Amino acid sequence: MRAADRGAGASPAPWCGAFPCVPTRLATIRPPRRLGAAIALALAWVGLAGADDAAPAGAATWKAGVARAVITPTTPVWLAGYGSKRVPDGALHDLWMKVLALEDPAGRRAVLVTSDFQGVPRSMSDPVFERVAAAYGLGRAQLMITFSHNHCGPRLGDDLIDYYPVDPEQETLVREYTARMIERMVETIGRALDDLAPAVLATGRGRATFAVNRRNNPEGDVPALRAAGKPLAGPVDHDVPVLHVTRPDGTARAILFGYACHPTTLSFMTWNGDYPGFAQLEIEERHPGTTAMFVNTCGGDQNPLPRRTVELCMQYGHELAAGVEEALAGELRPIAPALATAYRSIELPYLAVVTRAELLAITSDPQAARGEAIKSRWATRLLTRLAAGETFPAAADYPLHAWRLGDTLVLGMGAETVVDYALRFKREFGAETWVCGYADDMLAYIPSRRVWEEGGYEGGARLYEYGRPALRWAGDVEDRIAKAVHELVAEVREP
Ligand SMILES: [Zn+2]
C-alpha cells in the first residue's frame, strides 16, 4: 500500500546514534538550496576542520576518481534477461561500466562499480575481487560491484545458465566475453584510482513514480488504473537518491543516482541500457563533463509499467533524470570527508536441498520438460553434478556491504532484493540511507518475510531459475540479513 511508500519519509538518521559522524558545526549550518552553496559549505567545513583539529591545510577533503568503459559486445553474445536464443541486431546506444573511487583524508578508500549488465555472477565478481586486491590493495569491504539488471544487456558467465538452450559455440563466446569484462573492470578500477583528486561530495533526494509493484497489480490493468487516477497497490520505493561529486572549483565529475525498478521496459533484440541507460545519457547531456552512474536499489518486485515501447523507455529515463534534477536543485547536503567500510558474507539457508529422486522425477516427466525448459535443463545439469560426486550445500553465501560516507549510510545487498528491504532499512537507519540491491552476485530473488509467506514468483519455489540446488529459501532469510546489516552498520559507526 502507499503507507509503505510513506515509510521512507523524512526522519533523522537514527543509525548515526552517538557517533559524531556529522560534524556538529556542519549539522548546525542550514542546508544549502543550491549546489554552489553546498560546495561552499563543504569547503567552509574543510577550512574549519583544518583550523580546529590541526589537520594539515588542504588535506581534509575527499578525493574522488572516475573512469568508464564501453561493454557493448563486439561478438554475437546472446541478449540476457528473457532467456531466448537471441543475437542482438544492433544498439540503440552503448552499454557501459563506470567506476567511482573515493578516498577520505585518512587514505581510506572505497570503489563503486555500476554497469549495464543484467547480472554479474559470482564466477565473474570473485576474480575481479581477487585481482583488485592484488593489483591495488583493495579489500572486499572496499569494493562493491553493482549491475542495473538491464534485460537488454549481454549474457555473462554462468548467470541464469539454465535460461538458455545448451549451445557450445555460444558458451565459448560468453566465456570469452566474460573474461574480457573481468580484464576491463580491473583496468577501469585502476584508472578511477589514478584519477583520485580533491573533490566535494553532496547528497540529495528526488522522486520518480513509474515503478509499480508487479506482485500486486496485473500488468494489463495498470494503464487503465493510471488513466483513471486510481491508486496502485503494494509497497513501492519512489525515492531517487543522488550523490553529486565535483572538483573543488565546481567542475562536474560524477552524478550517482538510484531507483528501485526492474529495467524491463524493453523486450527486444537491440542492445540498450533500458530506462537507466536513457536516464544516464540525459544527465550526461545536461551536465557536460559528468559521468552519470545508476544503482538499482531494491527493485526485485518492481516493474516499469506500462512498457514494451522505446518511447516509454525514453520517457521513464527522462522521468528518472528529472528526479535527479529535482534533487540537484533542492537541499543538497554536503558530505563530510570521513569513510568507513564493512563487508560480510552470510549464509542464507535453503528450505530443503533438492534430492536426486526429485531431479529424476523432473527429467523423466515429458510434460514438465515441454512446459518448463528451464527447470528441465536445471534438473539435468544438477544430476550430472551429483553423478560426478558433488554434494550440494545447504545454504548460499550472500554478500552484504555497509559504507559510511560522512553521515550518509550506503548499504549494498546481493541480487534481487524486494522493495521491503529498502523500506525497512530506511525506517531503521534514516530516510537518507541508500539501500543498493544487485551487488556482487546475481544469485536469486531475495524475498522479505512478507513476500516469502505470500509465495509467488519472488517468494516461492523458483530458485531453480538461478541454478540453486533448491527450490525455496528458508523462511527466515530477512531475519538473517537484517541481523547482519545491523552488525555491519554498528561496525562502520564505531570510530
Ligand atoms: Zn529480475
Side-chain angles (χ1 to χ4, degrees):
M1 306 305 290
R2 291 294 179 198
D5 199 15
R6 286 198 301 275
S11 63
W15 77 280
C16 217
F19 178 60
C21 53
V22 185
T24 49
R25 286 184 299 273
L26 186 63
T28 57
I29 296 172
R30 195 164 151 267
R33 301 289 315 172
R34 309 206 64 80
L35 180 66
I39 294 168
L41 276 181
L43 290 174
W45 182 84
V46 168
L48 284 169
D52 289 2
D53 305 337
T61 180
W62 286 107
K63 286 182 180 171
V66 180
R68 54 195 290 162
V70 171
I71 58 171
T72 317
T74 52
T75 56
V77 175
W78 291 347
L79 188 135
Y82 297 104
S84 314
K85 184 179 173 179
R86 304 187 299 182
V87 181
D89 55 10
L92 295 185
H93 49 241
D94 266 325
L95 306 175
W96 293 89
M97 66 169 78
K98 299 172 180 177
V99 181
L100 173 64
L102 296 173
E103 183 182 299
D104 77 358
R108 290 179 288 248
R109 290 180 169 185
V111 171
L112 175 73
V113 177
T114 66
S115 65
D116 291 317
F117 290 128
Q118 185 275 145
V120 174
R122 191 175 159 183
S123 58
M124 172 170 171
S125 56
D126 273 355
V128 174
F129 288 121
E130 279 168 28
R131 293 183 49 181
V132 164
Y136 314 123
L138 289 179
R140 184 70 194 254
Q142 295 171 282
L143 174 59
M144 207 189 299
I145 298 172
T146 69
F147 42 98
S148 73
H149 194 41
N150 166 34
H151 282 43
C152 289
R155 283 188 63 177
L156 208 51
D158 57 356
D159 172 44
L160 295 174
I161 183 76
D162 299 314
Y163 262 56
Y164 309 97
V166 176
D167 180 317
E169 189 185 338
Q170 177 63 201
E171 273 154 33
T172 301
L173 286 169
V174 172
R175 197 165 44 246
E176 290 169 353
Y177 174 73
T178 306
R180 285 197 296 279
M181 291 305 101
I182 291 171
E183 294 281 338
R184 198 160 301 172
M185 196 174 282
V186 173
E187 180 266 333
T188 310
I189 289 168
R191 283 194 286 116
L193 292 169
D194 288 344
D195 187 53
L196 280 168
V200 176
L201 272 56
T203 186
R205 197 160 40 131
R207 192 173 160 79
T209 58
F210 60 84
V212 174
N213 192 303
R214 68 188 193 185
R215 296 172 56 80
N216 301 96
N217 301 279
E219 184 164 345
D221 296 353
V222 171
L225 287 168
R226 280 205 192 275
K230 290 189 176 164
L232 298 168
V236 295
D237 176 10
H238 285 162
D239 282 352
V240 180
V242 173
L243 176 70
H244 199 174
V245 182
T246 55
R247 294 292 180 225
D249 65 0
T251 309
R253 208 63 201 95
I255 295 173
L256 172 69
F257 61 103
Y259 194 57
C261 188
H262 263 64
T264 50
T265 322
L266 292 172
S267 171
F268 67 175
M269 293 170 57
T270 308
W271 299 124
N272 74 94
D274 207 271
Y275 76 84
F278 283 104
Q280 288 172 77
L281 285 173
E282 183 169 330
I283 291 163
E284 288 174 356
E285 201 176 309
R286 284 185 187 207
H287 300 269
T290 206
T291 289
M293 302 173 66
F294 171 81
V295 285
N296 196 334
T297 47
C298 292
D301 50 354
Q302 310 288 309
N303 266 350
L305 298 179
R307 54 181 179 167
R308 302 305 188 213
T309 69
V310 174
E311 289 72 22
L312 280 169
C313 195
M314 294 174 75
Q315 180 188 320
Y316 297 148
H318 173 71
E319 288 177 27
L320 185 51
V324 170
E325 295 302 326
E326 179 194 341
L328 294 176
E331 296 188 348
L332 283 179
R333 293 183 306 112
I335 298 180
L339 176 68
T341 61
Y343 168 82
R344 192 171 304 172
S345 175
I346 65 168
E347 285 199 342
L348 289 192
Y350 303 121
L351 190 62
V353 173
V354 72
T355 65
R356 186 168 177 278
E358 288 166 330
L359 293 169
L360 282 171
I362 294 166
T363 54
S364 62
D365 177 0
Q367 195 71 24
R370 268 202 305 277
E372 283 218 64
I374 296 172
K375 200 169 196 176
S376 181
R377 287 195 284 263
W378 168 76
T380 303
R381 194 170 54 78
L382 262 54
L383 281 169
T384 307
R385 287 168 59 183
L386 284 177
E390 195 173 329
T391 307
F392 296 137
D397 295 328
Y398 183 68
L400 287 167
H401 295 266
W403 290 0
R404 176 173 62 73
L405 281 59
D407 67 342
T408 299
L409 179 63
V410 178
L411 302 176
M413 307 179 67
E416 305 214 54
T417 46
V418 298
V419 73
D420 292 350
Y421 284 100
L423 300 175
R424 172 180 179 157
F425 291 136
K426 285 197 275 191
R427 253 191 331 266
E428 293 177 349
F429 301 121
E432 307 303 325
T433 302
W434 291 60
V435 190
C436 306
Y438 298 95
D440 295 359
D441 185 0
M442 171 63 176
L443 81 169
Y445 278 105
I446 308 297
S448 59
R449 168 71 78 172
R450 176 186 68 84
V451 168
W452 188 89
E453 284 174 357
E454 289 174 4
Y457 186 63
E458 299 86 357
R462 305 289 289 232
L463 285 187
Y464 67 88
E465 292 199 2
Y466 297 84
R468 302 289 124 209
L471 293 170
R472 263 199 111 175
W473 293 116
D476 65 348
V477 292
E478 179 178 346
D479 302 335
R480 289 170 180 266
I481 289 169
K483 178 174 180 290
V485 164
H486 276 262
E487 289 166 2
L488 285 171
V489 170
E491 255 179 67
V492 297
R493 187 166 45 196
E494 294 306 317

